[in-house]
Amino acid sequence: PSVLDSFALLSGQLNTLNKVLKHEKTPLLRNQVIIPLVLSPDRDEEIMRQTEGRVPVFSHEVVPDHLRTKPDPEVEEQEKQLITDAARISADVAQKQIQSLNKMCSNLLEKISKEERESESGGLRQNKQTFNPADTNALVAAVAFGKGLSNRRPPGSGGSVQSGQPGAAAIIAGASGMQQVAMSGAPAQQQPMLAGVQMAQAAQPGK
C-alpha cells in the first residue's frame, strides 16, 4: 500500500507538471537562460554526486564549458566554410554526388549483410550434428557385446556353434538368426567364418 500511495502521488505531480508546461501562458524553456548563482573553487560533494564524479568543482573555469549554448569558435568557422562550399555547388552536381554516395552506402551495406549471412550459415554448418549418438552407441553395443540381438534360431538350422570365448556366444547366437544364402559358383560345403568362430551352414536353402 505504501508503494502504491507513493506511485499515485508521483503520478499526480507529473500530470500537474505536464499541464503547467503545456499551458499557453507558460514560456518556452528553450528561451530561458541559465545563470550560475554560486561559484566556488572548493570541492562540492553534492555536485560530485549529481554528476557521478565528472565535475568535482563548480568554478569560473568549468562554468563556460558546462553552460555553453554555442559551439566553439573554431567549430563555427568550419561550419561557415562548409556552408559556403555547399552554396557554390550547383543542384545537378549535388544530386550526382548524393546518388554516388547512396550507391556506395548501399554496396557497403550489401557486402556487410552478405558477410553476416555467410558467417551465420558457416556457424550453423559447423554446429550442425551429422550423426545420432544414440544410434551410434546402440550399433557399437550390438557389435561389441551383442546387445539387442535376437537369440532365436530359425527352424531347421542344425548348425552347431563352437566358441572358446564367453563374449562371442551372444554375437554368434544373434548372427545365427540370419539365414544364409548360397552363392552360385561357391562350393556347397564351404563353411562361413564369423569373428573367428566356425559355423555350420544351414540345412535348408535361404529365401
Side-chain angles (χ1 to χ4, degrees):
S2 61
V3 174
L4 292 177
D5 293 341
S6 301
F7 181 78
L9 179 62
L10 289 174
S11 178
Q13 291 178 352
L14 287 174
N15 290 331
T16 305
L17 182 61
N18 286 330
K19 289 180 181 179
V20 171
L21 291 177
K22 293 179 181 179
H23 197 270
E24 297 178 355
K25 296 182 179 180
T26 303
L28 295 176
L29 295 179
R30 66 171 62 95
N31 296 332
Q32 304 300 317
V33 179
I34 299 176
I35 301 176
L37 299 179
V38 178
L39 298 178
S40 174
D42 299 332
R43 182 185 179 90
D44 194 343
E45 297 297 335
E46 183 65 20
I47 293 178
M48 280 283 292
R49 186 183 61 81
Q50 292 181 359
T51 59
E52 298 179 356
R54 292 187 298 270
V55 182
V57 295
F58 200 64
S59 61
H60 297 78
E61 183 179 359
V62 300
V63 163
D65 294 331
H66 291 288
L67 300 183
R68 183 188 299 275
T69 57
K70 294 178 63 177
D72 293 335
E74 294 83 3
V75 177
E76 286 186 348
E77 291 296 331
Q78 293 179 1
E79 187 176 359
K80 289 180 181 179
Q81 184 67 30
L82 290 174
I83 293 173
T84 305
D85 295 341
R88 295 176 182 174
I89 301 176
S90 62
D92 297 337
V93 176
Q95 190 66 26
K96 290 181 180 179
Q97 291 182 357
I98 292 172
Q99 291 177 358
S100 62
L101 180 61
N102 291 335
K103 186 177 181 180
M104 291 172 60
C105 293
S106 61
N107 292 335
L108 183 60
L109 289 174
E110 288 178 359
K111 289 182 179 179
I112 293 174
S113 61
K114 183 178 179 181
E115 290 181 358
E116 289 180 352
R117 288 194 301 269
E118 290 178 354
S119 63
E120 290 178 358
S121 61
L124 292 176
R125 284 196 299 269
Q126 291 178 359
N127 297 330
K128 187 176 181 180
Q129 199 170 12
T130 57
F131 66 95
N132 189 352
D135 293 344
T136 304
N137 294 332
L139 182 60
V140 171
V143 172
F145 307 106
K147 183 179 181 181
L149 299 178
S150 175
N151 293 329
R152 294 183 302 172
R153 303 177 67 180
S157 60
S160 61
V161 178
Q162 297 178 359
S163 174
Q165 299 178 357
I171 302 176
I172 298 168
S176 63
M178 297 182 293
Q179 295 186 0
Q180 308 210 359
V181 179
M183 301 294 292
S184 60
Q189 300 298 328
Q190 184 179 1
Q191 296 178 348
M193 301 292 292
L194 176 61
V197 179
Q198 186 176 6
M199 296 180 60
Q201 190 170 358
Q204 295 181 354
K207 294 181 181 179

